[in-house]
């Protein structure tokens, strides 16, 4: 249940961060920060600093969750294309979970791949 709630919240926040309202909010926070800096009031400066830090820390997991979801969707699409293509190696499905060294070993030689494509 918590996982489903987190997905809904992060998806909604990710959609909001791409809208003009978020840009306006960022401009407002930047204005508050600049105003706090020039006000010579330590309480105002600390409050502005805290609010900007909180917004930044809240955006980090939202952006990471969005990136993880986009990456997983892209991998699923690529896996589907690999399984649908008769010439593709099915061993490549799920290779993103392997170590970087193994991925590099499995990577086809670009010159060989290019020559095979030209011969057909």
């Amino acid at each position: 249940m918590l996982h489903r709630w987190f997905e809904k919240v992060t998806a909604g926040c990710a959609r909001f961060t791409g809208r003009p309202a978020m840009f306006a909010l960022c401009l407002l926070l930047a204005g508050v920060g600049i105003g706090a800096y020039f006000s010579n009031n330590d309480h105002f400066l600390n409050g502005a600093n805290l609010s900007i830090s909180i917004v930044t820390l809240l955006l980090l997991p939202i952006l990471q969750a969005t990136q993880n979801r986009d990456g997983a969707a892209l991998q699923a699409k690529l896996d589907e294309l690999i399984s649908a293509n008769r010439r593709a190696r099915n061993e490549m499905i799920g290779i993103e979970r392997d170590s970087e060294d193994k991925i590099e070993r499995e990577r086809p030689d670009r010159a060989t791949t290019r020559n095979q494509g030209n011969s057909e």
Side-chain angles (χ1 to χ4, degrees), residues 81-101:
L81 289 172
I82 290 170
S83 65
N85 188 340
R86 286 182 289 148
R87 288 182 34 206
R89 296 183 295 162
N90 286 336
E91 300 85 38
M92 298 302 273
I93 294 176
I95 197 170
E96 69 276 0
R97 293 183 211 101
D98 292 337
S99 70
E100 190 173 338
D101 290 336

Side-chain angles (χ1 to χ4, degrees), residues 6-94:
F6 180 73
E7 284 181 356
K8 283 184 178 184
V9 169
T10 56
C13 289
R15 280 193 298 274
F16 175 71
T17 57
R19 301 211 187 273
M22 183 62 178
F23 183 68
L25 181 64
C26 288
L27 288 176
L28 177 69
L29 282 174
V32 168
I34 290 169
Y37 180 75
F38 289 111
S39 73
N40 292 328
N41 184 343
D42 286 340
H43 291 295
F44 185 44
L45 182 59
N46 288 339
N49 220 355
L50 180 65
S51 63
I52 292 170
S53 296
I54 288 171
V55 168
T56 302
L57 288 174
L58 287 175
L59 283 177
L60 288 175
I62 292 167
L63 294 174
Q64 187 62 47
T66 303
Q67 187 70 31
N68 290 346
R69 187 175 50 251
D70 290 348
L74 183 61
Q75 278 307 134
K77 291 174 185 178
L78 288 172
D79 289 347
E80 179 67 23
L81 289 172
I82 290 170
S83 65
N85 188 340
R86 286 182 289 148
R87 288 182 34 206
R89 296 183 295 162
N90 286 336
E91 300 85 38
M92 298 302 273
I93 294 176

